[in-house]
Amino acid sequence: MAIAMRVNYTDVLRDGTLKNFYVNGEKMGYQFDIRLSYYRGHFLSVIDELTLKVDGREVKEEDIIFCLHGKEFGVNQLKGATSEFWGIKEPATIRVFQKDGLETGNHEVDFHMIFRSPYMPISETEFMPIDSSECKIMDIK
């Protein structure tokens, strides 16, 4: 892969959105909102890499759910989401299944996402990779 282009139009990790989530009253994990740091929206199918570390621990891919427009996608389903358009002003939610969620306080969230720009070819078979990643300390109350 070529070196990824980075365009910082907005913070990827949305402050004030880290929180635990519950199912039937039981804490099942945590979630936070992200935005696409780019000047135009894209279909979810162009996301090539999506990984997450929280407090230095890597989150397993199967524990990550990408939520947009009231729909939920596993990381391995994003490539097939050819009709789901993510606008630049729309937050998406990353939900992580983790028994008992996160403790109250500060947590280092290291979100990594690379997508390809389908209108910027760099060869006959490759397109410009765009880095829409961010690492920051987020607070859960």
Side-chain angles (χ1 to χ4, degrees):
M1 179 192 319
I3 294 176
M5 185 169 89
R6 183 151 178 88
V7 182
N8 293 324
Y9 280 99
T10 187
D11 287 347
V12 173
L13 297 170
R14 309 310 295 165
D15 290 329
T17 63
L18 181 62
K19 62 184 178 182
N20 288 307
F21 72 89
Y22 298 79
V23 176
N24 296 326
E26 184 178 345
K27 194 185 300 183
M28 297 298 291
Y30 58 92
Q31 66 185 40
F32 55 90
D33 288 352
I34 60 171
R35 283 197 33 208
L36 190 60
S37 184
Y38 201 54
Y39 68 93
R40 67 181 291 178
H42 281 286
F43 290 95
L44 297 184
S45 59
V46 301
I47 297 173
D48 288 330
E49 299 175 22
L50 192 152
T51 62
L52 176 65
K53 288 183 186 176
V54 175
D55 297 329
R57 291 186 305 269
E58 194 165 324
V59 176
K60 294 186 290 189
E61 180 179 294
E62 58 267 21
D63 291 336
I64 301 171
I65 301 295
F66 188 103
C67 307
L68 185 69
H69 306 135
K71 299 175 185 175
E72 297 182 350
F73 303 90
V75 174
N76 64 348
Q77 295 175 307
L78 293 173
K79 291 231 184 293
T82 57
S83 62
E84 286 301 322
F85 189 80
W86 184 13
I88 61 169
K89 293 185 178 182
E90 296 177 84
T93 299
I94 298 296
R95 184 170 287 156
V96 177
F97 288 95
Q98 176 180 301
K99 185 172 171 35
D100 298 325
L102 292 175
E103 297 290 325
T104 301
N106 291 330
H107 297 276
E108 181 184 59
V109 178
D110 187 356
F111 178 75
H112 173 79
M113 185 174 69
I114 303 289
F115 65 93
R116 67 189 174 286
S117 184
Y119 58 90
M120 294 176 66
I122 56 176
S123 76
E124 288 186 23
T125 58
E126 293 181 298
F127 297 88
M128 177 61 75
I130 308 295
D131 184 351
S132 192
S133 304
E134 186 173 25
C135 181
K136 72 163 48 169
I137 302 297
M138 297 180 76
D139 183 48
I140 190 167
K141 296 178 176 149

